[in-house]
Amino acid sequence: MTEPTLEPLPEDWERALVIAAHPDDVEYGAAAAIARWTAQGKQVVYCMVTSGEAGIDTMPPEQTGPLREKEERDAAAVVGVDEVEFLGYADGVVEYGLPLRRDVARAIRRHRPDVVITGNFHETFGGVLLNQADHIAVGRAVLDGARDAGNRWVFTELLDEGLEPWNKVRAIWAAGSPEAAHGVDITATFELGVRSLEAHAGYLGALPGHPEPAEFLGMFARQAGPRLGVEYASVFEVYPLMLY
């Protein structure tokens, strides 16, 4: 059965904030699209909820966290992003709740983005492949925190920090969602996306049997491309907060 066509994401915006659970989450699907957008002159900032310190079984967290933070900064630089923040939540045990919603709202009020980008936060990646708990918690908090950011009477302590409400987030875009109906042509920036994932050499080297980044990313990008009428594409599910 032929998969439905993808609608191109709008590109008439200037600022995006990417909020992800772990270093490397962005590189598994969104980095090549971000390279396209930064090449257009758009401003993109990364905000990582954790430092990924529980991600390498053979290395203690106090060593893994700094390594993965450095690798994320290197990966971001490949695609034209020079600002990467880490919120310091404990890797693997992120909980959806008011503290996380508040920190998401705080980040959005500080950066004042037009769009917010996160990863897939459905229970699966499609079929029976289960999603990870941190991804689900962070995605839910991004949905709610983006609305909280625009409400003066939610998290009023942010006003005491000098952070006025920001209610101009047009939409949240969830990269790699199995429910994606939108896409981005990454044919010209696919290699940058690969290099961005390759920047996580320490992490990837600790994963037995992980496929080569070009092979892994290419498999999904080539599948999505024809749905957009291009060679390579990234997919996103859109959650509108404002009318386009």
Side-chain angles (χ1 to χ4, degrees):
M1 185 175 66
T2 303
E3 291 192 86
T5 58
L6 296 169
E7 181 179 344
L9 279 178
E11 295 185 326
D12 58 337
W13 51 273
E14 297 180 0
R15 297 185 306 278
L17 177 62
V18 180
I19 304 176
H22 314 106
D24 85 303
D25 285 354
V26 181
E27 286 68 54
Y28 280 101
I34 290 165
R36 171 188 171 99
W37 293 326
T38 58
Q40 296 171 349
K42 303 184 192 303
Q43 177 187 356
V44 181
V45 173
Y46 286 1
C47 178
M48 303 290 115
V49 173
T50 81
S51 297
E53 69 276 4
I56 299 179
D57 183 67
T58 57
M59 184 181 293
E62 60 270 21
Q63 295 178 21
T64 301
L67 168 68
R68 299 198 67 194
E69 287 187 5
K70 180 185 183 302
E71 290 186 340
E72 183 56 43
R73 292 190 177 97
D74 292 345
V78 170
V79 296
V81 175
D82 57 14
E83 187 171 356
V84 183
E85 302 176 347
F86 296 89
L87 297 184
Y89 281 74
D91 183 19
V93 291
V94 178
E95 293 182 298
Y96 171 86
L98 294 179
L100 184 54
R101 279 174 50 188
R102 179 174 54 245
D103 285 341
V104 167
R106 178 184 287 114
I108 290 171
R109 289 193 188 191
R110 284 194 295 108
H111 294 291
R112 304 167 78 82
D114 303 306
V115 295
V116 173
I117 299 167
T118 191
N120 169 41
F121 53 94
H122 290 288
E123 291 186 355
T124 75
F125 287 101
V128 297
L129 183 58
L130 290 174
N131 202 347
Q132 198 264 355
D134 288 355
H135 300 160
I136 297 170
V138 169
R140 288 183 57 206
V142 168
L143 278 186
D144 293 332
R147 289 175 290 186
D148 297 333
N151 190 325
R152 180 176 301 277
W153 308 119
V154 176
F155 303 129
T156 55
E157 60 269 36
L158 298 181
L159 298 174
D160 297 332
E161 298 175 16
L163 296 173
E164 288 294 317
W166 179 252
N167 61 2
K168 296 183 180 180
V169 175
R170 290 165 46 169
I172 295 161
W173 296 346
S177 168
E179 302 297 326
H182 290 73
V184 179
D185 181 1
I186 59 167
T187 305
T189 55
F190 173 74
E191 292 301 328
L192 287 172
V194 171
R195 285 173 48 200
S196 188
L197 181 56
E198 288 174 342
H200 295 276
Y203 174 65
L204 296 180
L207 299 178
H210 190 285
E212 290 297 316
E215 174 189 350
F216 186 84
L217 296 177
M219 175 177 61
F220 295 103
R222 282 191 297 271
Q223 289 175 353
R227 298 175 61 193
L228 193 63
V230 300
E231 184 176 4
Y232 294 110
S234 292
V235 299
F236 293 81
E237 183 174 4
V238 172
Y239 297 85
L241 296 184
M242 296 177 61
L243 295 176
Y244 286 106

